[in-house]
Amino acid sequence: MTSERVHAFTGDVLGDLDAVGVAELVRSGEVSAAEVAGAAVARAELVDPKLRAVAFPAYDRVSAAGGLLAGVPTFVKDNTDVRGLPSGHGSAALRPGPAKRDAGFARQYLSSGVTVLGKSRLPEFGFNASTEFAGAEPTRNPWHTAYSAGASSGGAAALVAAGVVPIAHANDGGGSIRIPAACCGLVGLKPTRGRLVANEQGRSLPIDLVSDGVVSRSVRDQAAFYAAAERYWRNPQLPELGLVEGPGRRRLRIGLVVDSPAGVRACPRTAEVVAETASVLEGLGHRVEPVVVPIDGRFVADFTAYWGMLSFLVSVTGKVVLDRSFQASRMDGLSQGLRGLFRSRLLAAPGMLYRLSRVRRDYARMFERVDLVLSPVLAHVTPLLGHLSPTVPFEELLTRLQSYVAYTPLNNVSGGPAISVPMGATAEGLPVGVQFSAAHGAERTLLELAFELEAARPWRRIQD
């Protein structure tokens, strides 16, 4: 396939509007939700044959609901039930029928008024950091189709970056909102654990790693989504967010982490973008200083074992939890390798769970002297497709993943919030993101700083 940049931005009613802009257009009566949905469907049909980001189209659905994002077209990630649509989880191990009800988070998302046009692709059960498959075409990065779109919300990120829709559902169990956002030049906020309605599977786990959210092209779309979600349900144990509308006035103390606390060095271009971001922050009046991330030296091994435990649980409960058609023998090489890794370390599981349960305490210590922490999202720039394919021998693939996804899992285990924003590019034109982490409940600070950076260094546009 000839590599190219692919996007769907045209002179239709969507133009280059973000979700807030589309909602304002629908609210004014200038266009209808049906017209907006039709434009998004035309865009999907134009670019998806190249990007392969749609798991299941449902192009005849138009929302009649109100809400802050009423009429905004979107996709839901294919691991979250939406009534009437199947949830395939990116896996050849099941052939599900239509879901009978909306998942808990899906109800919260739908309450914002969005129009769901289908399900977006993810790698099998969200275990990989690239949306690639053992027996199917990968999802491609719209900035350069020879490269990964990231994962596990890779389909969502590709659709938003390419201009099919302005916002899409994503979720994050080890970086899966932030990683594809970084790969595709988007904004992705992984919220504090408990900020949004939790889905049933996560609540049953010893540590719920997964947080739902969205990927978007603008910071104000993130802010609008969280304001809309809070109108449906707000966790009384966390500070209220409300609608964040711009930069904050307070100058922040920002900790700087370049190399991973687990010892993985950031690649030269990634380190440069982090340093450039630090300079921008200092120019805006913020104070940036190195900080030590206080994590146990066994964190990587423990997280990997927990990751393996999730695959093991899928394999033994899939027929009950997912669908009666599930066959564990059809899981891909990465899933089977992770399952085997956990089984080989089964006796060590209690110690692993105990240490991971204490990470929240260690994470909180990081914010005793700083307001936020700046770091890479990923240890190296977006890889070519094939580098993280599930067909790569398991031990080699695991090493590659651990050398790539070296920063984001800490927030999942601790439950702390973090945002990815696009602050640079590679020589090939691929986006490079940076991450800001915050104390539990401090999403407002993350959004305010992201607003400030977006104004100071406007994000690159794929259509330019």
Side-chain angles (χ1 to χ4, degrees):
M1 175 176 179
T2 302
S3 299
E4 57 183 325
R5 183 179 291 193
V6 173
H7 72 79
F9 289 99
T10 65
D12 60 18
V13 296
L14 285 170
D16 61 359
L17 294 171
D18 64 0
V20 172
V22 172
E24 289 172 349
L25 204 63
V26 173
R27 193 175 301 117
S28 72
E30 189 172 339
V31 299
S32 68
E35 288 176 289
V36 169
V41 168
R43 290 184 174 200
E45 291 175 336
L46 176 67
V47 300
D48 198 57
K50 296 176 181 177
L51 297 180
R52 303 288 185 180
V54 177
F56 184 85
Y59 294 157
D60 57 347
R61 296 168 67 105
V62 178
S63 172
L68 282 178
L69 300 177
V72 174
T74 193
F75 284 80
V76 170
K77 188 172 173 180
D78 195 28
N79 61 358
T80 300
D81 283 351
V82 174
R83 186 167 60 87
L85 305 183
S87 293
H89 297 268
S91 178
L94 68 159
R95 293 287 183 270
K100 295 180 180 178
R101 61 186 64 86
D102 295 324
F105 170 77
R107 291 193 293 273
Q108 187 171 30
Y109 191 39
L110 290 167
S111 74
S112 70
V114 291
T115 296
V116 175
L117 297 179
K119 307 292 284 291
S120 62
R121 291 178 90 199
L122 72 156
E124 184 168 84
F125 301 114
F127 292 146
N128 205 344
S130 184
T131 306
E132 300 184 50
F133 308 90
E137 280 284 310
T139 296
R140 299 180 179 274
N141 193 315
W143 288 87
H144 194 314
T145 54
Y147 286 80
S148 170
S152 63
S153 307
L159 290 164
V160 174
V164 174
V165 291
I167 194 170
H169 166 234
N171 48 34
D172 191 318
S176 298
I177 292 173
R178 294 158 287 159
I179 290 169
C183 292
C184 293
L186 304 175
V187 183
L189 171 59
K190 176 239 172 264
T192 302
R193 182 185 297 137
R195 171 66 71 185
L196 302 174
V197 173
N199 280 320
E200 291 75 10
Q201 295 93 328
R203 288 200 297 265
S204 66
L205 294 171
I207 301 171
D208 185 2
L209 300 181
V210 180
S211 293
D212 287 280
V214 294
V215 288
S216 64
R217 296 192 296 269
S218 70
V219 178
R220 72 174 186 167
D221 279 0
Q222 293 284 331
F225 160 72
Y226 281 94
E230 202 167 58
R231 290 184 180 185
Y232 176 84
W233 176 81
R234 184 177 81 79
N235 186 340
Q237 297 180 353
L238 292 173
E240 184 175 358
L241 275 180
L243 178 60
V244 183
E245 297 185 272
R249 295 181 180 179
R250 183 166 62 104
R251 297 301 85 187
L252 304 173
R253 299 169 301 168
I254 300 175
L256 175 65
V257 173
V258 179
D259 294 327
S260 160
V264 177
R265 294 186 64 84
C267 79
R269 182 57 188 141
T270 298
E272 286 174 1
V273 172
V274 172
E276 291 164 5
T277 303
S279 295
V280 172
L281 292 167
E282 289 174 333
L284 293 169
H286 302 287
R287 180 178 174 182
V288 182
E289 57 189 40
V291 68
V292 175
V293 181
I295 65 167
D296 189 294
R298 292 167 289 187
F299 177 79
V300 174
D302 287 340
F303 180 80
T304 304
Y306 195 90
W307 189 16
M309 186 188 79
L310 298 180
S311 183
F312 174 79
L313 291 173
V314 168
S315 71
V316 299
T317 67
K319 280 189 177 295
V320 176
V321 174
L322 299 175
D323 190 83
R324 286 180 295 178
S325 66
F326 176 78
Q327 298 179 47
S329 62
R330 298 190 65 190
M331 293 169 74
D332 71 19
L334 175 59
S335 298
Q336 298 212 32
L338 288 169
R339 179 178 64 189
L341 181 147
F342 175 72
R343 292 178 68 177
S344 72
R345 301 181 186 179
L346 190 59
L347 295 178
M352 171 267 288
L353 291 172
Y354 173 75
R355 287 187 295 274
L356 290 179
S357 72
R358 294 171 63 86
V359 167
R360 174 171 179 150
R361 176 203 62 183
D362 296 335
Y363 178 87
R365 286 168 46 205
M366 196 162 54
F367 299 99
E368 291 174 355
R369 297 182 58 184
V370 298
D371 301 299
L372 301 177
V373 173
L374 163 65
S375 74
V377 178
L378 294 155
H380 61 76
V381 296
T382 308
L384 286 161
L385 288 165
H387 180 72
L388 298 177
S389 168
T391 61
V392 172
F394 174 70
E395 293 296 337
E396 183 178 357
L397 178 55
L398 183 62
T399 298
R400 291 180 181 183
L401 286 167
Q402 290 173 332
S403 299
Y404 182 50
V405 185
Y407 299 85
T408 52
L410 177 62
N411 299 82
N412 298 89
V413 177
S414 68
I419 194 168
S420 172
V421 293
M423 292 298 293
T426 69
E428 296 80 14
L430 289 155
V432 178
V434 302
Q435 173 175 263
F436 291 93
S437 299
H440 289 74
E443 287 93 335
R444 171 171 285 273
T445 304
L446 291 173
L447 289 167
E448 288 176 342
L449 185 67
F451 267 116
E452 190 172 9
L453 288 171
E454 185 179 29
R457 288 272 298 266
W459 320 139
R460 293 165 63 236
R461 306 192 321 161
I462 197 170
Q463 65 268 42
D464 292 341

